[in-house]
Amino acid sequence: MPERHRRTVRDLRRGNRATLLRRLYFEGPLSRQELAAHTGLSSASISNVTAELLADGLLEEAGSVGSDGGRPRTLLRIPPGAGSLIGVDVGETRIRVELFDISMTELARSVHPLKDGGHGDVTHVVRLIADGLAAVCGADVQRGPLLGIGVGVPGIVAEDPAGDGAVVHAQTVGWDAVPLESLLRSTAQLSSSTPLFVSNGAKTLGQAEMWFGAGRGARDAVIALIGSGVGASVITDGSAYGGAAQGAGEWGHTTMQLRGRRCRCGARGCLEAYVGAEAVLERWREAGGGRAPGADEESALAALLASEDPAAAEVLAETAEYLGAGIADLVNLFNPERIVLAGWAGLQLGARLLPAVREATAAYALRYPAARATIELGRLGTDAVTVGAATLPLNRFLTTGGAPQGPGG
Amino acid sequence: MPERHRRTVRDLRRGNRATLLRRLYFEGPLSRQELAAHTGLSSASISNVTAELLADGLLEEAGSVGSDGGRPRTLLRIPPGAGSLIGVDVGETRIRVELFDISMTELARSVHPLKDGGHGDVTHVVRLIADGLAAVCGADVQRGPLLGIGVGVPGIVAEDPAGDGAVVHAQTVGWDAVPLESLLRSTAQLSSSTPLFVSNGAKTLGQAEMWFGAGRGARDAVIALIGSGVGASVITDGSAYGGAAQGAGEWGHTTMQLRGRRCRCGARGCLEAYVGAEAVLERWREAGGGRAPGADEESALAALLASEDPAAAEVLAETAEYLGAGIADLVNLFNPERIVLAGWAGLQLGARLLPAVREATAAYALRYPAARATIELGRLGTDAVTVGAATLPLNRFLTTGGAPQGPGG
DNA sequence: CGGTCTTATCTCAAGGCGTGAGTTAAGTAG
DNA sequence: CTACTTAACTCACGCCTTGAGATAAGACCG
């Protein structure tokens, strides 16, 4: 790669556009004055750049606010119609496609259920996604130009060395090096200039909580995602939001008990084998707990939480200890200021077990990082994977300053 | 913090100076031509910037090399005398201070042994460091201006919110919020314009291996450091070297066995309680193994490795399994392309156990990231903590492009 | 109602910077 | 000695940010 780092004087303008856009996006309407103070740019430059952005339709004036006796400040904001975004959630049981405006208000959605093992037929999955895209794009709603598409998937996402875009490795659903990006581009006939991002669903949900949920404002945070499986999303130095260096997080397959319970990944003693919803229910069954026939995991877990059975209490206490210790690992490794427990099972378990989890974390983590970290529940519910996925092209939009630069190179 | 991101056109020049310096530092002598190709800058800019750097004495011409018939390329390099660096290793048994020239050639050193528990008296430790600094600075060697000082310490380093510089929390040696930076600045009477960095010793050693050792060239790597205790240094996106976002790493206190062995940190089942040298020897003792009276840990570990006792083999096999599983955690969490096993105990154990460790890692990690990661031994030995520490001011030098900007603000 | 004050925003000339084309420097091949 | 090739430098141009000053827009006071 011959090129690196910024170069020409033009990048300055791009960078400043991006800075202003990002600030305006997250900190609501601001006056030029405040922008100058926050960004350190001179007021002259603010005028120039905002004039450009206004001309591009990326900004609009939004009333004004008095100033002790002087000319009132004109507030600026990004109009919701400045663009639209699509987020896709390739979940364990369904595929959801949602269309958002730039303020992440949902404009349309399309959901396809997916049978167990339905992931095996990749072509079918891709077709479902493409249908969903077509459906939301065809929806009769007012919206700006499409800024891009984000897709959240299970497993690990890597870049194809042959330049074929994102490739997905998802051991648990049987995907081995699936070139999802190129498949989707051709199946959905996407223009090559449409930004398309593929990322791990847990990371994606993490970004949603970081930007709009419980992680908002934190610099270093970890989003722990517990569903049937377990994942985590690590955000370090999230200052200015999208500057965030995102770490992956197959946290669920971290060893908590050497030679312990068999995990569906093949190894033994993984965290997921203890605190994943599937594993918790399995452990309850082993302890003699019942599961209403035909009940899905979600209601079965609710039943466990509601049970008065001492065996259930024991299972839950152990779950809290494992979860706390698992979180302690993250605390020790990353020293985050905030930990957000999310995912459907995480929210269910957390509502009841949070105090016990906090206690276990304090017991297993080192004192100093433990004192710094707070543990909270996620605020966005389970459906935020699409929001997080849509966040990917949104981040690109904010980072490039809405520049009309095709991703050809 | 009101200011963020780049702003003025002057930062461009600073950035380009930095880019050129960094490239020249790591990729040896290069011609202006090659610099242009690598950095994407126009040859005109290369001429301008290099002329400036030459005038500042930060660059020198170093011969020339023919070019198929045309004018030969003049090679440029950073002269070793462009500056000097000091690295300090606050170790478990001694304090080492070393002076390097900019190419990391050692010019002088000073070592003070430290008795067990000697860390408790912080003032004394600081005095020893200051004496060491004075000693190496007084050494009669040719050297350039001092570019800065780096200090590697055990434990976690944080920034004092009151602006008092780095504060060290090291549970294992009894340091609780020690404001090492300000103590050292006043005791050693450092000018406030002398860059002084304090960082975790494991991170520091990690950076040394990344820049000059087994990690060289890797983008994402983890340096696992095993001594009496266990730490890790995580480097993500190390492209262009110092762009590296360094994650901390109290990896040693990650839980491997819930409710397992008691660790010196107070928790149970930590990795360190199984694979730290102290723990390994303790486990050998429990298994009936002997330890020559008076032998230090290093030779005791060597004796264990040399032992033909089946109990010893058992202890080692278990150690390899724990270590492998611990590495698997890192593999799953960070998906690194390379893992470097370092630290004195890590090197000793690794020399013998590396195949078993690799096997255990493969068994415990997910297939895809495991296939990507290679596990290697460190190349720099145990004394590289000072090199790594010196790397901190060096990194600053390369990042600022050697700008004469005092760190006042 | 007009004058004065205060504050926000715009305008403009100046100074920096990177670029690309053209020029000069420094060799080789015949 | 000449033609050719390649490296490095020079210069006019366009773009960027800045700081100072001009202008806009309201509040306060008499």
Side-chain angles (χ1 to χ4, degrees):
Chain A
M1 343 169 182
E3 322 204 4
R4 283 235 162 280
H5 292 291
R6 322 197 151 263
R7 282 168 304 162
T8 163
V9 74
R10 226 127 166 189
D11 295 318
L12 272 181
R13 173 57 62 96
R14 249 195 291 280
N16 287 334
R17 279 174 68 117
T19 305
L20 292 193
L21 271 182
R22 175 154 265 135
R23 202 120 213 160
L24 282 165
Y25 187 85
F26 286 108
E27 278 153 56
L30 290 171
S31 68
R32 294 175 175 80
Q33 197 67 194
E34 292 166 295
L35 283 172
H38 286 342
T39 60
L41 284 161
S42 71
S43 61
S45 291
I46 298 286
S47 274
N48 285 336
V49 179
T50 53
E52 225 179 82
L53 290 171
L54 280 163
D56 290 354
L58 267 37
L59 237 52
E60 68 180 8
E61 304 201 329
S64 61
V65 59
S67 69
D68 330 321
R71 173 175 177 174
R73 286 168 281 227
T74 314
L75 295 179
L76 298 169
R77 74 168 170 216
I78 302 181
S84 58
L85 302 155
I86 294 179
V88 180
D89 174 9
V90 179
E92 293 172 353
T93 61
R94 71 213 179 314
I95 289 177
R96 287 196 323 139
V97 180
E98 289 186 62
L99 175 71
F100 302 95
D101 72 9
I102 209 169
S103 65
M104 283 301 166
T105 304
E106 186 182 321
L107 300 179
R109 80 161 68 178
S110 151
V111 184
H112 284 279
L114 203 57
K115 280 190 278 288
D116 249 16
H119 294 81
D121 182 357
V122 175
T123 319
H124 182 232
V125 172
V126 170
R127 168 109 323 267
L128 287 179
I129 300 175
D131 289 350
L133 292 177
V136 299
C137 286
D140 182 27
V141 290
Q142 191 104 27
R143 61 192 183 86
L146 182 63
L147 299 178
I149 301 171
V151 184
V153 298
I156 294 174
V157 180
E159 198 59 28
D160 184 24
D164 223 20
V167 174
V168 181
H169 306 262
Q171 205 161 314
T172 49
V173 299
W175 285 12
D176 185 24
V178 171
L180 190 64
E181 180 169 347
S182 62
L183 286 177
L184 191 52
R185 273 198 191 280
S186 59
T187 304
Q189 300 190 314
L190 295 177
S191 141
S192 72
S193 70
T194 305
L196 173 61
F197 298 88
V198 180
S199 179
N200 173 276
K203 279 169 76 170
T204 271
L205 185 64
Q207 196 155 329
E209 286 282 358
M210 269 316 274
W211 284 33
F212 309 110
R216 187 153 194 174
R219 274 178 67 90
D220 304 302
V222 176
I223 316 292
L225 182 71
I226 305 181
S228 283
V230 174
S233 169
V234 177
I235 291 94
T236 45
D237 198 17
S239 75
Y241 301 80
Q246 284 234 11
E250 289 291 343
W251 177 49
H253 300 287
T254 264
T255 303
M256 299 305 296
Q257 190 83 57
L258 202 88
R259 303 177 188 169
R261 288 180 71 87
R262 179 67 58 185
C263 174
R264 58 176 171 174
C265 77
R268 298 179 59 175
C270 296
L271 178 64
E272 185 170 310
Y274 294 91
V275 307
E278 199 178 312
V280 171
L281 293 173
E282 173 76 12
R283 281 172 39 233
W284 189 28
R285 206 183 49 71
E286 286 170 13
R291 173 170 173 177
D296 60 8
E297 280 191 335
E298 218 156 323
S299 45
L301 188 60
L304 165 58
L305 284 162
S307 166
E308 310 249 322
D309 189 347
E314 171 60 26
V315 166
L316 290 176
E318 205 181 67
T319 302
E321 183 173 354
Y322 272 97
L323 182 51
I327 291 177
D329 288 355
L330 296 175
V331 167
N332 286 337
L333 281 171
F334 299 108
N335 187 19
E337 68 195 74
R338 201 174 305 167
I339 293 182
V340 178
L341 189 56
W344 67 264
L347 291 173
Q348 272 195 44
L349 290 170
R352 164 91 174 273
L353 299 179
L354 200 51
V357 171
R358 286 202 179 105
E359 217 170 281
T361 299
Y364 278 94
L366 293 174
R367 273 200 304 277
Y368 171 74
R372 180 169 181 248
T374 63
I375 307 180
E376 300 179 21
L377 286 186
R379 293 198 198 129
L380 297 184
T382 314
D383 291 348
V385 171
T386 49
V387 174
T391 256
L392 299 170
L394 174 57
N395 187 44
R396 177 192 178 280
F397 172 77
L398 295 177
T399 301
T400 58
Q405 155 222 318
Chain B
M1 338 168 186
E3 321 202 5
R4 284 236 161 279
H5 291 290
R6 326 197 149 263
R7 280 167 304 162
T8 164
V9 72
R10 229 127 167 186
D11 294 318
L12 269 182
R13 176 55 66 94
R14 249 195 291 280
N16 286 333
R17 280 174 66 117
T19 305
L20 292 193
L21 272 181
R22 174 155 267 132
R23 203 119 212 161
L24 282 165
Y25 187 84
F26 286 107
E27 278 155 56
L30 291 172
S31 67
R32 294 174 175 79
Q33 197 67 195
E34 292 166 296
L35 282 172
H38 286 341
T39 61
L41 284 160
S42 69
S43 62
S45 293
I46 298 285
S47 274
N48 285 336
V49 178
T50 53
E52 226 180 81
L53 290 170
L54 280 163
D56 290 355
L58 266 39
L59 238 52
E60 67 180 9
E61 304 200 330
S64 60
V65 59
S67 67
D68 328 318
R71 173 175 176 174
R73 286 168 282 227
T74 313
L75 295 178
L76 298 168
R77 72 167 172 217
I78 301 180
S84 58
L85 302 154
I86 294 179
V88 180
D89 174 9
V90 179
E92 293 172 351
T93 60
R94 74 219 179 307
I95 288 177
R96 287 197 323 139
V97 180
E98 288 186 64
L99 175 70
F100 303 93
D101 72 9
I102 208 168
S103 65
M104 283 301 168
T105 304
E106 186 182 322
L107 300 178
R109 81 160 68 178
S110 151
V111 184
H112 283 279
L114 203 58
K115 281 189 279 288
D116 247 18
H119 294 81
D121 182 357
V122 174
T123 319
H124 182 234
V125 172
V126 170
R127 169 110 321 269
L128 287 179
I129 299 175
D131 290 350
L133 292 178
V136 299
C137 286
D140 182 28
V141 289
Q142 191 104 21
R143 61 193 184 85
L146 182 63
L147 298 178
I149 301 171
V151 184
V153 299
I156 293 174
V157 180
E159 197 59 27
D160 183 25
D164 225 20
V167 175
V168 181
H169 307 263
Q171 207 161 311
T172 48
V173 299
W175 285 13
D176 185 23
V178 171
L180 190 65
E181 180 169 347
S182 62
L183 285 176
L184 191 52
R185 273 197 190 280
S186 59
T187 305
Q189 300 189 313
L190 294 177
S191 142
S192 71
S193 69
T194 305
L196 173 61
F197 298 87
V198 180
S199 179
N200 174 274
K203 278 169 76 171
T204 270
L205 184 64
Q207 197 155 328
E209 286 282 359
M210 270 313 277
W211 285 32
F212 309 110
R216 187 152 195 176
R219 274 177 67 90
D220 304 303
V222 176
I223 316 291
L225 182 71
I226 305 181
S228 282
V230 174
S233 170
V234 177
I235 291 93
T236 45
D237 198 18
S239 75
Y241 301 82
Q246 284 236 6
E250 289 290 345
W251 177 49
H253 300 288
T254 265
T255 303
M256 299 304 297
Q257 190 81 58
L258 201 89
R259 303 179 187 165
R261 290 179 70 88
R262 181 67 61 184
C263 175
R264 60 178 172 174
C265 77
R268 297 179 59 175
C270 296
L271 177 64
E272 183 168 312
Y274 294 91
V275 307
E278 198 178 312
V280 171
L281 292 173
E282 172 76 12
R283 280 171 42 231
W284 189 28
R285 206 182 51 69
E286 287 170 12
R291 172 169 174 177
D296 60 9
E297 280 190 336
E298 220 156 321
S299 46
L301 188 59
L304 165 57
L305 283 162
S307 167
E308 310 251 321
D309 188 346
E314 171 62 25
V315 166
L316 290 176
E318 203 180 68
T319 302
E321 183 173 355
Y322 273 98
L323 182 51
I327 291 177
D329 288 356
L330 297 175
V331 167
N332 285 337
L333 281 170
F334 299 108
N335 187 17
E337 67 196 76
R338 199 175 305 168
I339 294 184
V340 178
L341 189 56
W344 67 264
L347 292 173
Q348 273 195 46
L349 290 170
R352 164 87 175 275
L353 299 179
L354 201 51
V357 171
R358 287 202 179 106
E359 214 170 283
T361 299
Y364 279 94
L366 294 174
R367 272 199 305 276
Y368 171 73
R372 179 169 182 248
T374 63
I375 307 180
E376 299 178 22
L377 286 185
R379 292 198 200 131
L380 296 183
T382 314
D383 291 348
V385 172
T386 48
V387 174
T391 255
L392 298 170
L394 174 57
N395 186 44
R396 177 191 178 281
F397 172 76
L398 294 177
T399 301
T400 59
Q405 157 222 320

